[in-house]
Structures are given as C-alpha cells and as structure tokens.
Amino acid sequence: GQNIDQPTEMTATEGAIVQINCTYQTSGFNGLFWYQQHAGEAPTFLSYNVLDGLEEKGRFSSFLSRSKGYSYLLLKELQMKDSASYLCASVDSNYQLIWGAGTKLIIKP
Amino acid sequence: IAGITQAPTSQILAAGRRMTLRCTQDMRHNAMYWYRQDLGLGLRLIHYSNTAGTTGKGEVPDGYSVSRANTDDFPLTLASAVPSQTSVYFCATSEGESSYNEQFFGPGTRLTVL
C-alpha cells in the first residue's frame, strides 16, 4: 500500500534548529518532495530528493534514505516567518504524488 | 506574469447545484492537476491531465469531472454538489509527468457546500 507519516505539530525556538521527519511506504518509489505551506496559502516547493543523502539549500536541508523509507527536512537558524506547515510527498510508479498530512511548525520567540 | 489563476477565490453553494472551478495557467506546462485539501488529511488528487486532450482519475474522482481542451485551461466540475465536497481546492501544474518535475500550485478555491 501507499502511506506517508509525519508528525502533526512541532514547536521550536527562533534561532534554533528543527528536524521534521517523514516515513513512507510507496510502490515504485520515484523520489520525495518537501513543500512549505503558510496558513491560507498554496504549497510552495522546497526540495526534491531521489538519491540517498543530504541536499543542502541555504538554511534548509533535506535528507533521504531509500532503504529505510525515511526522509527529513532540517531547518537552521529558525525565523518567525518559518512558521508554516511542511508537507512531505513521495512519487509513486505512475509519477503521482502521495502526500502526507503535513507538520505544523510553530516558532516561538 | 500571473502563473496559475483560480476562480472563484471562495464560494458558498447549495447542495445539489452544479459548480465549475476554473484554473488557467500561462506557464505552458503540459501536466495539470486538481487536489482537495481537508483538515488533518494530505492533499488528495481528484483528476489530472498529462497533456492537452487527455485526462485521468486520481485518488478521489467520484462526483467530479474535468476537461482539457487546450494547454492553458483545466476546469473542474461538480455535477451535483454535496456537503462532503466542502474543501479547499488547489489546481497545480508541472512541466511534465516525470518524477523530478516539481508541481506549482494556484492560490486555491475555498468551497462550502450547505
């Protein structure tokens, strides 16, 4: 079957580091996306991983382990504007995205 | 450059009424998608189109229909709305159907069916 799991909500402090985990079970896995969604807005692309390892992009990094069915999004030097939901989505054999329910990240001063 | 536009922004609809949600893109992307987003659930694919003239069913297609007469437009029709179709609807596009093509999202339509 197809399944994506990520925590419902996380809280972190401004300036700190937070790691948001995502586990997946996807037939014919073809990669994993992370998107950011501010309340009341559309999702926007953050990263795409298809090979094992860490991809770094400024304050945001994304990691993938295909053998473990596991990914994480790492956010460094947290800013108040990073308060949002973070959506994990795996790509199946038909190139369709299977979406997690999202992790709401709350940043406290 | 508008990117992806959706109309209306929001709508309150009586059950049983017919409704078409509009989606237009100026990105010349081949693939287009309709999702619904409900609290506590991930985005769920309703219908998709990999190229003009073709459409396919997603995870939750019942009660919805689409057409893709040209590259730019991908309307979603609810033939007879029911309260369970209350949701936020997002249209998305991508260059093609390959796995590495990120999807770009429109601003969404908030639909309430009473």
Side-chain angles (χ1 to χ4, degrees), chain B residues 33-84:
Chain B
Y33 312 86
W34 274 106
Y35 291 96
R36 60 178 291 173
Q37 187 175 40
D38 303 291
L39 200 62
L41 299 176
L43 289 160
R44 291 184 292 170
L45 183 65
I46 304 170
H47 284 286
Y48 65 93
S49 170
N50 287 330
T51 190
T54 69
T55 63
K57 293 182 179 180
E59 180 187 356
V60 289
D62 294 344
Y64 306 94
S65 63
V66 291
S67 61
R68 187 88 185 275
N70 57 60
T71 297
D72 298 344
D73 301 298
F74 190 43
L76 176 74
T77 297
L78 289 67
S80 179
V82 295
S84 62

Side-chain angles (χ1 to χ4, degrees), chain B residues 2-7 22-26 32 34 72 91 105-108:
Chain B
I4 304 168
T5 58
Q6 292 186 236
R22 298 185 297 281
C23 175
T24 300
Q25 56 132 342
D26 63 5
M32 297 186 76
W34 274 106
D72 298 344
C91 176
F105 285 80

Side-chain angles (χ1 to χ4, degrees), chain B residues 82-97:
Chain B
V82 295
S84 62
Q85 292 177 312
T86 294
S87 188
V88 179
Y89 290 85
F90 287 103
C91 176
T93 72
S94 67
E95 288 187 17
E97 61 180 298

Side-chain angles (χ1 to χ4, degrees), chain A residues 30-31 33 35 37 40-45 48 50 87 91-92 94-102, chain B residues 33 35 37 40-45 48 50 90 97-108 110:
Chain A
N30 272 309
F33 285 94
Y35 278 76
Q37 186 177 25
E41 297 183 8
T44 55
F45 170 81
Y48 172 71
V50 65
L87 314 181
V91 185
D92 71 10
N94 295 316
Y95 302 118
Q96 301 298 345
L97 270 59
I98 311 299
W99 295 84
Chain B
Y33 312 86
Y35 291 96
Q37 187 175 40
L41 299 176
L43 289 160
R44 291 184 292 170
L45 183 65
Y48 65 93
N50 287 330
F90 287 103
E97 61 180 298
S98 298
S99 58
Y100 55 83
N101 287 320
E102 67 181 272
Q103 293 186 9
F104 298 83
F105 285 80
R110 184 173 296 273

Side-chain angles (χ1 to χ4, degrees), chain A residues 4 9 15 17 24 26 28 31 37 41 43 47 49 51 61 68 74 86 89 92-93 95 97 102-103 106:
Chain A
I4 294 266
E9 186 175 296
I17 299 173
Y24 65 88
T26 303
Q37 186 177 25
E41 297 183 8
S47 67
N49 295 64
L51 300 176
S61 302
K68 295 181 179 178
L74 191 71
Y86 291 85
D92 71 10
S93 57
Y95 302 118
L97 270 59
T103 298
I106 299 168

